[in-house]
Amino acid sequence: MCRVVDLRQAVLAKNDAGAVELREHLAARGTAEVNLLSSPGSGKTALLELLLARAVAGGITVAAVTADLATENDARRLARAGAPVKQVLTDGLCHLEAGMLREHLDGWLPRDTRVLFVENVGNLVCPASYDLGESLRIVLGSVTEGEDKPLKYPTAFGLAHLVVITKTDIAEAVEFDAAAFHRNVRQVNPGVPVLETSARTGAGVDELLALILGVTDGAPVHRPVLARQHERYLHHHHGDEDGHTHDSVEDGHSHEHPAAAPVPVPGAADAP
């Protein structure tokens, strides 16, 4: 059992090191990375397509990487917005890793890209543990998925810099309890901003894009409590000469980079 924990920590430590390098590389070229995580069917691709289209229309240089186990359907769909898009096929892997992303960016990412959107594999388990060198981590939950989603996936929602509710145009039809969702988000990630959106009506999309652009200009982002706990863990538990850590993490997750103080979200819904 200890060996399994050692191997897991070694894999995550290697990824974290690669994420630091990628973050520095992107920062040096003036690019901010936005990591989008959600379950399949949350409306992530539809929202991203609209974000890309509005950015392109506004003369903002953006690009997108979209990851799936198979097919290039999402890349073809996102390309309609007019931004550079690249499909990454993980061939069965349930998440992206920093090194994998770096390989796909080398020689492809346009030099003047201001925002790089990364649409992670549709999954709220594995991707939550992997830092991709992002400046902003956004976790999405649709009104069709239930108000208890944050409680079921506390690591994913607990490490978010921003939580986005999607498909709000049908919230009434599916009897979505927004107040309960906000309470559950606050339970796993106190203070994280929550923004309500609809790709169908466009509600909240301009506010979301404005927030993302603010981060590219240096605006601080929310610093999750779970990330701070991980920082303390790293401070008090050092690895051996081989780089392996022999103390287990309680939930095996929380691999996220430090962030600054919370940033107010324009137009964000206030939790009741």
Side-chain angles (χ1 to χ4, degrees):
M1 184 64 180
C2 182
R3 183 58 177 167
V4 172
V5 172
D6 287 347
L7 290 173
R8 174 174 175 77
Q9 295 305 320
V11 168
L12 290 172
K14 179 180 179 181
N15 180 82
D16 284 353
V20 169
E21 293 178 0
L22 178 55
R23 184 175 294 109
E24 293 174 348
H25 170 73
L26 291 174
R29 54 182 292 160
T31 302
E33 179 194 325
V34 178
N35 186 7
L36 302 172
L37 288 79
S38 78
S39 300
S42 68
K44 180 166 75 263
T45 305
L47 182 61
L48 178 54
E49 183 180 2
L50 191 52
L51 283 170
L52 292 174
R54 294 199 177 181
V56 170
I60 303 162
T61 51
V62 294
V65 170
T66 180
D68 279 303
L69 276 66
T71 82
E72 296 189 359
N73 295 346
D74 285 354
R76 286 193 290 268
R77 180 176 172 184
L78 293 175
R80 298 183 304 196
V85 177
K86 186 167 190 178
Q87 180 77 55
V88 175
L89 298 180
T90 63
D91 194 26
L93 191 64
C94 64
H95 61 274
L96 282 175
E97 297 179 4
M100 181 192 311
L101 178 60
R102 177 70 181 266
E103 290 176 3
H104 284 277
L105 295 180
D106 286 345
W108 171 79
L109 186 65
R111 173 56 55 183
D112 61 347
T113 302
R114 182 175 175 185
V115 183
L116 169 65
F117 291 94
V118 177
E119 183 181 18
N120 220 313
V121 179
N123 184 341
L124 283 176
V125 182
C126 303
S129 298
Y130 288 84
D131 183 352
L132 298 184
E134 65 264 23
S135 300
L136 185 67
R137 177 179 288 207
I138 301 176
V139 177
L140 298 84
S142 75
V143 300
T144 59
E145 295 178 84
E147 299 81 6
D148 61 348
K149 203 75 170 183
L151 302 182
K152 288 184 175 181
Y153 299 93
T155 300
F157 282 90
L159 286 173
H161 298 132
L162 170 66
V163 172
V164 170
I165 304 174
T166 61
K167 304 184 181 182
T168 56
D169 54 292
I170 60 171
E172 184 176 354
V174 299
E175 299 182 345
F176 178 69
D177 188 340
F181 185 89
H182 280 278
R183 285 196 302 271
N184 293 336
V185 169
R186 288 199 303 268
Q187 183 173 329
V188 300
N189 193 345
V192 67
V194 180
L195 182 62
E196 299 187 2
T197 66
S198 167
R200 183 180 296 275
T201 67
V205 177
D206 287 335
E207 291 86 353
L208 177 56
L209 182 58
L211 182 146
I212 292 169
L213 294 177
V215 171
T216 70
D217 291 333
V221 297
H222 170 70
R223 186 180 180 187
V225 172
L226 195 56
R228 283 177 260 166
Q229 291 174 348
H230 176 59
E231 292 168 27
R232 288 196 296 271
Y233 170 81
L234 291 179
H235 179 73
H236 292 292
H237 298 77
H238 298 286
D240 60 21
E241 294 180 358
D242 293 327
H244 295 150
T245 300
H246 294 283
D247 296 274
S248 62
V249 180
E250 183 176 347
D251 63 359
H253 298 302
S254 307
H255 290 262
E256 173 63 342
H257 59 274
V263 59
V265 180
D270 293 327

